[in-house]
Amino acid sequence: MPEPTDSIDDKREILFTYDQIQERVTELADEIKEDVDVNNLVLVGVLNGATFFATDLAKRFNNPNVKVDFISISSYGKKKESSKKPEIHCDLKNSIAEKDVVIVEDIIDTGYSMEILLDILQARRPKSLKVCTLLSKPERREVDVPIDYIGFTINNYWVEGYGLDSEEESRCFTNIVRRI
Ligand code: IMP
Ligand code: MG
């Protein structure tokens, strides 16, 4: 494993270490286990940012019936100002009808992406639909989206690492860092 300080330089500082993230991921999985029927659970990771988080979270269930799937949608920013329909770049492999679905996202910022995703997935008639995000920036919220599980609430920082990117860079840092 890289050293914990590998992802910091004069432009970045560590916000959450890999160990802190792993501890929180275990707690989030325990919360989900309390609420949903794990034997009917589908974790839907949002590509690409949530892949690291979704795979770590999935491992906490250690259950043959828990499914993991992934989706990627285009985001046009403010939904109501956009005439374009959101485009699904990569769709789920399997149906989620009658499944207990938990969307697994890296970060909820303005909330527009999650609002669109909830519309798309709700239309597929899951038994239940919940939202789990590793990070939430409530200061930036423009639409009110329901969030069932939050890893960490953060101030209005630009963050990178553990899946989160800046124009595809810095995604593979072990820690979550913030730009300073
Ligand atoms: P929203 O639609 O504004 O909530 O945007 C959510 C998406 O914006 C996330 O899925 C991220 O891809 C991206 N995003 C928002 N804030 C950050 C950040 O601080 N670092 C990296 N990506 C971010
Ligand atoms: Mg994202």
Side-chain angles (χ1 to χ4, degrees):
M1 281 291 259
E3 289 299 311
T5 49
D6 280 354
S7 51
I8 56 172
D9 51 32
D10 57 352
K11 289 197 230 97
R12 301 177 174 95
E13 68 180 22
I14 293 176
L15 200 54
F16 302 109
T17 65
Y18 182 78
D19 288 347
Q20 288 172 323
I21 298 165
Q22 294 306 314
E23 203 177 304
R24 192 71 190 110
V25 170
T26 301
E27 291 169 355
L28 289 169
D30 288 342
E31 285 182 47
I32 295 170
K33 286 176 200 169
E34 292 270 309
D35 294 349
V36 307
D37 173 7
V38 290
N39 292 313
N40 193 44
L41 176 62
V42 182
L43 298 169
V44 170
V46 185
L47 297 170
N48 292 343
T51 47
F52 294 51
F53 175 41
T55 52
D56 277 342
L57 185 70
K59 283 181 263 182
R60 300 312 199 271
F61 290 89
N62 201 28
N63 176 317
N65 298 318
V66 173
K67 313 275 180 2
V68 192
D69 214 334
F70 291 94
I71 193 166
S72 165
I73 58 158
S74 58
S75 174
Y76 294 113
K78 296 191 178 189
K79 186 183 158 194
K80 286 174 189 72
E81 289 176 10
S82 171
S83 54
K84 288 185 188 170
K85 272 187 78 173
E87 210 176 303
I88 300 173
H89 292 306
C90 172
D91 206 346
L92 300 175
K93 194 172 170 197
N94 295 302
S95 165
I96 53 166
E98 290 309 313
K99 292 291 189 182
D100 291 299
V101 174
V102 176
I103 303 173
V104 183
E105 178 60 298
D106 54 356
I107 187 163
I108 299 183
D109 186 32
T110 64
Y112 287 111
S113 309
M114 188 52 71
E115 186 183 47
I116 292 166
L117 200 51
L118 282 164
D119 282 353
I120 291 171
L121 297 183
Q122 196 65 65
R124 299 182 185 187
R125 307 261 176 256
K127 185 172 172 201
S128 67
L129 185 58
K130 290 184 167 5
V131 174
C132 176
T133 186
L134 181 60
L135 302 172
S136 173
K137 282 197 242 186
E139 253 181 75
R140 293 257 310 158
R141 204 78 84 246
E142 292 183 31
V143 281
D144 195 23
V145 285
I147 311 178
D148 301 280
Y149 312 98
I150 298 176
F152 304 100
T153 298
I154 62 169
N155 292 331
N156 186 14
Y157 302 139
W158 185 257
V159 290
E160 301 171 329
Y162 190 68
L164 292 128
D165 69 309
S166 290
E167 296 181 351
E168 297 303 326
E169 288 186 5
S170 309
R171 203 188 284 288
C172 300
F173 289 151
T174 310
N175 306 300
I176 294 177
V177 300
R178 79 171 181 101
R179 287 290 185 103
I180 47 177

